[in-house]
Amino acid sequence: MMPITPVEERMAGESILVVEDEANIAKLLTMYLEKDGYRVLVARDGQQGLERFERDHPDMVILDLLLPKMDGLEVCRRIRRQSFVPLLMLTAKRDETDKIVGLELGADDYMTKPFSPREMVTRVRAILRRAKQSTVTAVSLDGTLEFDDLMIDVPRHEVRVGARVVALTAKEFELLRTLAGSPGKVFSRDALLNQVWGYDYYGDARTVDVHVGTLRKKVEAQPSSPRWIKTVWGIGYKFEDAITEASA
Ligand code: CA
């Protein structure tokens, strides 16, 4: 079978960290991903997975949910504390709760075992393509997220709209950074509570609405008809990036 991936993409040789304790599945994933031009790193338990992630900075992570030493949800949570790396979760369970928790912790997608290797490769390509199209991936190397006239300097905790520096509270900043870090991605209120306020925070989901309201007043030209921070009815919020939308 001829690879469909364009040459320039294959040349990039993106690296994918596979965290999977079942040898057969790890082998199958490796075989199919390598055939598609990716470099594959394999970790056999959660702790090793996290270590390899921190050491090797892969372009994407495929993470099994049930792992020895540290489970997949905990690995996901720890990776998300430090990175927006694309993350695909694998689950053998039919239990919907785990998938939802995984997505709320920041996984980009999930697949239920048994899966078709070909579908897995298609998903991986799609997730990586989406990640590349987002402006963030390109500019966040120095810690700055830039969208048109909105500039988020993460290391300095500084936000500018045009030439104007906007004073945000710590939570407003964290909220904006989280949303803008994954343009186009829908975050539920619970996911935002977990990521911005911390997993142990037992707040009301309305806390999120209140902060989105004040944040919009500070960064949006028209807070009642926001350009960046969009409401997704019945679910939560997303940051809209013109490039993400155009290519969706
Ligand atoms: Ca497993």
Side-chain angles (χ1 to χ4, degrees):
M1 198 189 100
M2 287 290 289
I4 310 164
T5 320
V7 173
E8 62 273 20
E9 268 185 49
R10 275 189 288 128
M11 296 285 283
E14 287 155 308
S15 55
I16 300 180
L17 172 62
V18 171
V19 190
E20 169 63 89
D21 57 317
E22 286 157 82
N24 288 342
I25 297 179
K27 220 164 140 184
L28 189 75
L29 287 166
T30 304
M31 197 177 83
Y32 273 84
L33 290 168
E34 283 183 346
K35 212 165 80 181
D36 212 50
Y38 299 107
R39 283 188 298 124
V40 182
L41 319 164
V42 177
R44 287 294 165 78
D45 62 60
Q47 206 176 313
Q48 196 190 15
L50 192 62
E51 281 165 14
R52 290 221 72 175
F53 173 77
E54 288 170 351
R55 198 185 71 196
D56 298 323
H57 306 288
D59 296 300
M60 179 170 173
V61 179
I62 298 180
L63 184 60
D64 186 34
L65 199 63
L66 293 177
L67 291 167
K69 292 193 183 168
M70 187 189 294
D71 73 35
L73 291 180
E74 184 59 26
V75 176
C76 177
R77 188 179 297 147
R78 294 197 188 191
I79 286 177
R80 275 294 174 261
R81 276 187 203 151
Q82 47 183 305
S83 165
F84 293 120
V85 68
L87 204 149
L88 173 67
M89 212 152 218
L90 300 179
T91 164
K93 289 184 178 179
R94 299 203 169 273
D95 189 355
E96 287 296 314
T97 322
D98 283 320
K99 293 172 193 168
I100 293 166
V101 171
L103 292 175
E104 289 193 340
L105 286 175
D108 293 271
D109 203 353
Y110 63 83
M111 290 191 79
T112 308
K113 293 182 198 170
F115 51 81
S116 120
R118 219 168 273 181
E119 195 199 333
M120 180 274 300
V121 170
T122 307
R123 294 266 196 112
V124 165
R125 280 190 205 146
I127 293 172
L128 278 168
R129 197 184 318 121
R130 222 190 299 152
K132 262 197 255 171
Q133 279 165 351
S134 127
T135 21
V136 174
T137 326
V139 293
S140 63
L141 294 173
D142 66 346
T144 304
L145 316 182
E146 232 174 311
F147 306 92
D148 209 354
D149 64 342
L150 176 66
M151 203 274 289
I152 306 162
D153 186 335
V154 177
R156 289 184 178 180
H157 271 237
E158 193 175 277
V159 173
R160 285 169 192 271
V161 177
R164 181 172 59 95
V165 176
V166 182
L168 298 182
T169 66
K171 292 301 178 203
E172 286 165 354
F173 181 84
E174 204 50 39
L175 187 60
L176 180 61
R177 190 185 69 91
T178 302
L179 290 165
S182 300
K185 178 172 169 169
V186 177
F187 289 85
S188 69
R189 289 175 175 81
D190 282 342
L192 290 169
L193 272 179
N194 290 343
Q195 287 184 32
V196 176
W197 279 265
Y199 202 65
D200 301 326
Y201 179 84
Y202 293 100
D204 194 303
R206 273 204 323 189
T207 307
V208 177
D209 299 335
V210 170
H211 281 78
V212 165
T214 57
L215 181 59
R216 276 176 177 156
K217 278 183 194 148
K218 293 179 181 179
V219 300
E220 297 279 3
Q222 285 179 284
S224 57
S225 138
R227 172 185 174 189
W228 304 114
I229 305 155
K230 302 278 191 184
T231 301
V232 181
W233 296 110
I235 303 175
Y237 299 97
K238 69 170 179 176
F239 185 91
E240 198 164 273
D241 164 19
I243 294 174
T244 312
E245 293 312 304
S247 60

